[in-house]
Structures are given as C-alpha cells and as structure tokens.
Amino acid sequence: MKKTLLPGLLAAALLSFTLPSCGPSATEGDDDIATTTLPPLPAAPDTTKGAKQPEQFRELNSVNATEDIKKMQPQM
C-alpha cells in the first residue's frame, strides 16, 4: 500500500494543478451580464391595526400574566 500511496498523491497533485489551467480564466474580463438595480422593497404591513404601542412594556411575571388572563375572560 505504501508503494501506491506516493504515486497516487503525486497524480492527484498534478491533476489539481493542471485542471484549473485548462478552462477559461476568470480574470479575462468578459462580462456579458447586464446588471440592473433591484426594485425597492415594499413597506411592511401594519399588524397592529392602527393601535398605539405603549411607551413602556410591562414586565413578564406571573402576577401580570394572571391579570391579563382575567381581563381576556368574559365576565359572568
């Protein structure tokens, strides 16, 4: 196995050096692609339905959550 490892590595190294030189070079400057600017993005949709956001958000804890749940439940 040691006798075939060195020639295999040598062949792989030679292929890796010769294959990129066969194709067209990327630095030739043949840019036939027309570039245009993208259209502007549309405005984000309003998910608050016009409601004003509070200046300060309440802290998330069990007391505030219980109060909010009680407000959401229908009164009997």
Side-chain angles (χ1 to χ4, degrees):
M1 184 170 137
K2 290 183 180 180
K3 292 180 182 179
T4 59
L5 183 64
L6 185 61
L9 289 174
L10 183 61
L14 287 174
L15 279 176
S16 66
F17 284 125
T18 57
L19 286 179
S21 64
C22 294
S25 176
T27 59
E28 290 178 4
D30 294 334
D31 292 336
D32 295 335
I33 301 170
T35 58
T36 59
T37 58
L38 294 174
L41 294 175
D46 184 17
T47 57
T48 62
K49 298 178 183 166
K52 292 177 70 178
Q53 294 294 325
E55 297 273 334
Q56 279 186 323
F57 291 106
R58 289 178 32 177
E59 180 183 359
L60 288 177
N61 57 29
S62 61
V63 175
N64 288 339
T66 305
E67 290 175 6
D68 291 340
I69 291 171
K70 285 181 181 178
K71 288 179 186 176
M72 288 187 284
Q73 291 179 347
Q75 300 293 323
M76 296 184 98

